[in-house]
Amino acid sequence: MSKKRIVATTGNGAVAEAMRQINPDILSIYPITPQTAIVEGFSKFAANGLVDTECVTVESEHSSMSNCIGASAAGARVMTATSSQGLALMHEMLYIASGMRLPIAMFNVNRALSAPINIHCDHSDSMGARDTSWIQLYSEDAQEAYDNTIQAIRIAENRKVLLPVMVNMDGFIISHGIQKAEFIEDEKVKNFVGEREPFMPLLDIDNPVTYGPFDGLGGFFMEHKKNQADAMERAKSVILEVADEFAKISGRKYGFFEEYMLDDAEVAIVTLNSSAGTTRHVVDELRAKGVPVGLLKLRVFRPFPAEELVNALKHLKAVAVLDRALSFGSVGPLFSEVKATLFDLEVRPKVINFIYGLGGREYTLQDAKRAFDVLMDVAKTGKVKKTFDYLGLKEVEVLT
Amino acid sequence: MKDWQANKLMPGAIIPKSGTAREYKTGGWRSKAPKWNEEKCKQCLICWISCPEGAILVKDGKVRGIDMDYCKGCGICATECPFDVIKMVEG
Amino acid sequence: MEKCTEIRWHARGGQGAVTAAKFLAEVALASGKDIQAFPEYGPERMGAPIKAFTRISSAPISIYCGVKNPDIVVVLDETLLDVVKVAKGLSDDGVILVNTDDDPTDVRKRLGIKKGKVYAINATSIAIDTLGRPIPNTPMIGALIKITGMAPLEDVTSHFAKTFGKKFNQKILEGNIEAIRRAYERVRGE
């Protein structure tokens, strides 16, 4: 029996370790900063005979996802990892994977998209893929990245779901930072993920099937899309079931989101990934001074847990949604969704948007404090001066 | 799944049985039809290999005709035939 | 809230500051603390000034930004004193440790700071004597644990042997451990 281990690890190291324990049939490998250390670490495990995965080194991320699609349709348990431009290059294949209802677990290390060239963290990559019908889980730290990776397999392969899952963590901040994490015993992970029981796999030669047929005007394309949307909806209960089961082997409890000091708060920040940690620290500081602030850290962005979010946020006077991505010509993607969700309430919190951390711009304690200052002002006056603003923006002359 | 029908939707639009193309008669797509001259045919079977629809009817190693239920009239057989025994005609 | 010890490392690319930041975090982890260690990310160039950070705390750490107000500053390369404001944000009762042959009083003058404690150790010469190479990171760890009492010397040397036992040959391993010991004994402060 292997033992539960408490280790100092990078986020990438934790994900590679989860993949080793899962021991997938197929891993598509294509390097891209800051994800490369995941597939590099896994390749070492493979070279040392610790896994019996077929590591497929492909010539692009487009091929990487194509390989995942073929292998998953064949019935294999399939994983890959990517980031930024890589995810963008996969884009058309992301729709094929989900449209064919193929379970694939992919790790995406959040990174900005060029231009200008930038390798650092923001969420433009995964937010750009939000409508591809992939389940999206977000992870604050290495521990959550590890835990989400293990759960992703079970969610994706569940017969009620059959959708690909993308797990996200912040590039460099978490992928390369060394943190404390607890790794579960190998056997427990092995039993937890079990064997894939593929639904109508291509390699079942006694029962031949066709994947990827044409379905045009006279067919049922729209009904298939509704089915896909229904599967996303069903994923909600499956995500919670898997989380409950995972808590039994890990002692760590997961839901759609984490509520921190929210019950008696008047204002709160809603955010994703590592910024939640920094915000939590500031919540503690402000609470010590008696300021009624709270935090909601969203873990599941797709399917979007609208009803649950309303229940968690409806009592607040003001909510700031932090977006590490921007829908140019509009607002932050998380903001527009949270605000729309709250709109049906008779009495609803004021909702404001802060764009932060683009291209790895540091999200500091001061940024979180400023957001809470603005929120407390909104709560006090009942008036929003600015619905949309930036945190940590430099004062600089702009020539147009 | 042998009794599966197209109006029963599978996840991912999977078609859960084989040979379903047989139910889809593509002969209606044709604007020109191949006319095969049996007497001059050398039975090389190149048309049979070339036909993308499997519409060249072969029995006992010999071409017996063209299945007009499925022939789309693409003309590949006529182009490929080394002996000019297949010609594309109206209909 | 429990106090979190924040360390900022200043070095030049290739001097092993990130490895040292990580090693120190692992030592603390072994004693049951929560830890963080990370560099200030950017293009990695040999010789360029870099920063790295370590956080050590009895309570869970949830900050992910760089260290702005360090309790401890470690400078692996004294030429940085003229280039980088290494003491920036150092808390009033903070500690600064510099790799130099100068006396701590002279270092204080060069830094232009009045408060806090200043320590000096010639880690480069120790590294040359024990390892034959001017890599100051391991001796700096020896000096650091002495002045902070962060961990007992024997715990650190045994952890070092455990961590690098497979990577280094016996001679280099022993050289490193000797470097930690010497710096532990020789560090001076005021």
Side-chain angles (χ1 to χ4, degrees):
Chain A
M1 274 293 274
S2 67
K3 283 194 179 138
K4 185 154 91 175
R5 288 163 292 148
I6 292 174
V7 297
T9 179
T10 60
N12 281 342
V15 174
E17 176 65 8
M19 286 180 170
R20 180 190 68 74
Q21 294 180 313
I22 292 164
N23 192 6
D25 298 313
I26 301 282
L27 182 80
S28 271
I29 295 184
Y30 195 82
I32 182 166
T33 301
Q35 166 280 129
T36 308
I38 295 177
V39 290
E40 210 172 71
F42 190 90
S43 298
K44 277 183 199 161
F45 295 142
N48 290 335
L50 299 176
V51 290
D52 37 42
T53 304
E54 180 80 31
C55 293
V56 186
T57 49
V58 289
E59 70 272 31
S60 75
E61 284 90 353
H62 191 281
S63 308
S64 173
M65 188 42 60
S66 304
N67 177 51
C68 289
I69 289 166
S72 185
R77 175 168 281 167
V78 183
M79 299 187 84
T80 189
T82 192
S83 193
S84 179
Q85 315 291 137
L87 184 64
L89 187 56
M90 278 180 191
H91 196 73
E92 67 162 328
M93 301 317 288
L94 297 179
Y95 288 89
I96 311 284
S98 57
M100 287 192 187
R101 305 285 299 280
L102 296 172
I104 295 165
M106 172 164 69
F107 208 98
N108 178 58
V109 182
N110 289 117
R111 166 187 150 181
L113 280 137
S114 303
I117 296 170
N118 183 295
I119 58 165
H120 299 283
C121 175
D122 74 33
H123 303 162
S124 306
D125 51 5
S126 56
M127 285 298 158
R130 68 171 188 184
D131 297 338
T132 58
S133 182
W134 279 61
I135 290 167
Q136 287 195 359
L137 306 179
Y138 286 81
S139 330
E140 179 184 327
D141 55 12
Q143 183 70 66
E144 293 190 6
Y146 169 86
D147 292 348
N148 281 337
T149 304
I150 294 168
Q151 292 176 68
I153 294 283
R154 288 281 307 273
I155 297 165
E157 292 177 5
N158 188 292
R159 178 69 180 80
K160 286 188 268 182
V161 179
L162 295 177
L163 284 169
V165 179
M166 181 191 304
V167 186
N168 298 277
M169 70 175 161
D170 282 347
F172 288 106
I173 303 162
I174 301 304
S175 72
H176 284 57
I178 291 155
Q179 305 132 71
K180 176 172 137 180
E182 186 181 280
F183 294 154
I184 308 163
E185 297 87 331
D186 286 2
E187 287 77 6
K188 281 190 182 171
V189 176
K190 197 179 162 191
N191 291 335
F192 180 80
V193 296
E195 289 275 321
R196 179 178 170 196
E197 289 168 22
F199 176 72
M200 298 202 164
L202 274 177
L203 285 186
D204 181 358
I205 51 168
D206 293 329
N207 298 291
V209 296
T210 301
Y211 272 77
F214 176 80
D215 199 337
L217 287 180
F220 301 99
F221 184 88
M222 196 155 157
E223 290 70 25
H224 279 299
K225 290 297 131 182
K226 182 202 173 274
N227 288 355
Q228 210 173 310
D230 291 346
M232 261 292 179
E233 195 54 36
R234 286 196 298 273
K236 284 175 71 178
S237 63
V238 172
I239 288 167
L240 295 182
E241 284 161 28
V242 170
D244 282 348
E245 233 182 284
F246 185 76
K248 284 179 198 144
I249 63 162
S250 67
R252 291 183 290 276
K253 190 94 187 70
Y254 287 93
F256 295 132
F257 44 75
E258 177 198 312
E259 294 168 70
Y260 188 68
M261 300 289 217
L262 215 50
D263 282 350
D264 62 340
E266 286 182 23
V267 305
I269 282 178
V270 175
T271 192
L272 297 165
N273 279 8
S274 72
S275 59
T278 306
T279 307
R280 193 185 301 109
H281 187 88
V282 172
V283 168
D284 286 342
E285 281 184 14
L286 293 174
R287 281 282 178 164
K289 292 178 193 159
V291 189
V293 296
L295 162 73
L296 187 142
K297 175 182 78 184
L298 194 60
R299 170 181 177 242
V300 182
F301 180 63
R302 284 289 179 274
F304 193 71
E307 207 178 307
E308 294 80 1
L309 267 178
V310 168
N311 283 329
L313 300 173
K314 64 183 176 193
H315 65 288
L316 298 166
K317 287 183 181 162
V319 173
V321 181
L322 266 52
D323 269 292
R324 204 163 195 153
L326 179 50
S327 180
F328 296 91
S330 182
V331 287
L334 182 56
F335 167 73
S336 52
E337 218 142 336
V338 171
K339 186 161 183 170
T341 298
L342 293 170
F343 187 78
D344 280 343
L345 288 171
E346 297 259 325
V347 182
R348 55 185 173 261
K350 301 277 183 199
V351 193
I352 57 172
N353 191 195
F354 286 107
I355 304 295
Y356 77 104
L358 299 184
R361 175 66 50 83
E362 193 168 52
Y363 175 66
T364 63
L365 299 170
Q366 285 68 34
D367 290 334
K369 279 175 197 155
R370 199 192 129 214
F372 279 128
D373 278 351
V374 173
L375 278 175
M376 286 309 290
D377 186 60
V378 173
K380 217 170 283 171
T381 61
K383 289 202 172 67
V384 174
K385 284 183 194 135
K386 253 179 153 179
T387 306
F388 176 86
D389 206 353
Y390 296 84
L391 290 173
L393 205 61
K394 289 178 185 166
E395 296 262 343
V396 62
E397 191 186 349
V398 178
L399 307 176
T400 51
Chain B
M1 285 291 167
K2 296 266 187 275
D3 59 344
W4 177 82
Q5 298 289 314
N7 61 357
K8 292 179 186 168
L9 301 197
M10 301 298 294
I14 294 170
I15 297 172
K17 67 177 188 184
S18 59
T20 50
R22 218 179 289 278
E23 292 161 30
Y24 192 41
K25 296 193 174 166
T26 48
W29 298 18
R30 206 168 49 235
S31 61
K32 283 193 169 182
K35 198 178 171 210
W36 170 57
N37 187 337
E38 187 172 5
E39 280 163 30
K40 286 189 185 168
C41 179
K42 311 278 188 212
Q43 295 296 349
C44 68
L45 296 181
I46 283 176
C47 57
W48 176 69
I49 293 166
S50 310
C51 177
E53 202 56 43
I56 308 292
L57 297 168
V58 173
K59 203 181 169 193
D60 300 329
K62 284 189 171 170
V63 177
R64 305 289 169 167
I66 298 172
D67 191 337
M68 300 312 271
D69 277 354
Y70 298 101
C71 171
K72 291 172 179 167
C74 69
I76 290 176
C77 55
T79 306
E80 293 299 322
C81 178
F83 307 104
D84 255 359
V85 301
I86 303 176
K87 294 220 170 4
M88 298 306 286
V89 298
E90 291 301 318
Chain C
M1 240 182 302
E2 290 211 40
K3 177 73 184 127
C4 172
T5 303
E6 297 187 304
I7 306 170
R8 187 172 68 211
W9 305 74
H10 292 275
R12 291 187 183 275
Q15 289 178 323
V18 179
T19 309
K22 183 183 173 202
F23 176 74
L24 195 71
E26 283 172 347
V27 169
L29 180 76
S31 67
K33 298 278 186 9
D34 193 6
I35 53 103
Q36 258 185 12
F38 55 103
E40 187 176 70
Y41 304 105
E44 284 152 31
R45 290 158 298 156
M46 191 80 97
I50 62 136
K51 278 187 254 180
F53 311 103
T54 306
R55 284 194 177 95
I56 298 169
S57 174
S58 310
I61 301 167
S62 78
I63 322 175
Y64 297 101
C65 44
V67 171
K68 300 276 189 304
N69 298 105
D71 303 290
I72 301 163
V73 169
V74 186
V75 185
L76 269 70
D77 189 312
E78 67 172 315
T79 63
L80 288 172
L81 298 181
D82 308 319
V83 195
V84 181
K85 286 179 180 153
V86 295
K88 193 178 174 189
L90 186 68
S91 58
D92 288 350
D93 55 352
V95 170
I96 183 160
L97 169 67
V98 181
N99 172 18
T100 173
D101 202 30
D102 287 357
D103 283 329
T105 40
D106 296 332
V107 176
R108 183 184 288 283
K109 269 183 219 155
R110 283 176 73 183
L111 289 168
I113 57 166
K114 297 211 165 63
K115 291 172 184 164
K117 286 182 180 161
V118 179
Y119 291 89
I121 180 77
N122 194 337
T124 304
S125 91
I126 292 176
I128 288 170
D129 290 349
T130 55
L131 299 164
R133 291 173 69 197
I135 298 178
N137 58 353
T138 30
M140 289 304 271
I141 288 167
L144 188 60
I145 56 161
K146 171 72 177 288
I147 62 185
T148 59
M150 212 175 272
L153 176 64
E154 296 314 316
D155 286 9
V156 174
T157 51
S158 67
H159 193 84
F160 191 92
K162 210 174 94 188
T163 309
F164 296 103
K166 276 187 192 159
K167 196 176 170 191
F168 295 154
N169 66 34
Q170 194 61 24
K171 197 179 152 213
I172 294 187
L173 191 67
E174 280 167 12
N176 271 292
I177 289 170
E178 179 58 21
I180 294 174
R181 277 186 204 288
R182 284 193 199 176
Y184 186 90
E185 285 154 15
R186 291 181 196 171
V187 63
R188 297 153 298 147
E190 67 97 35

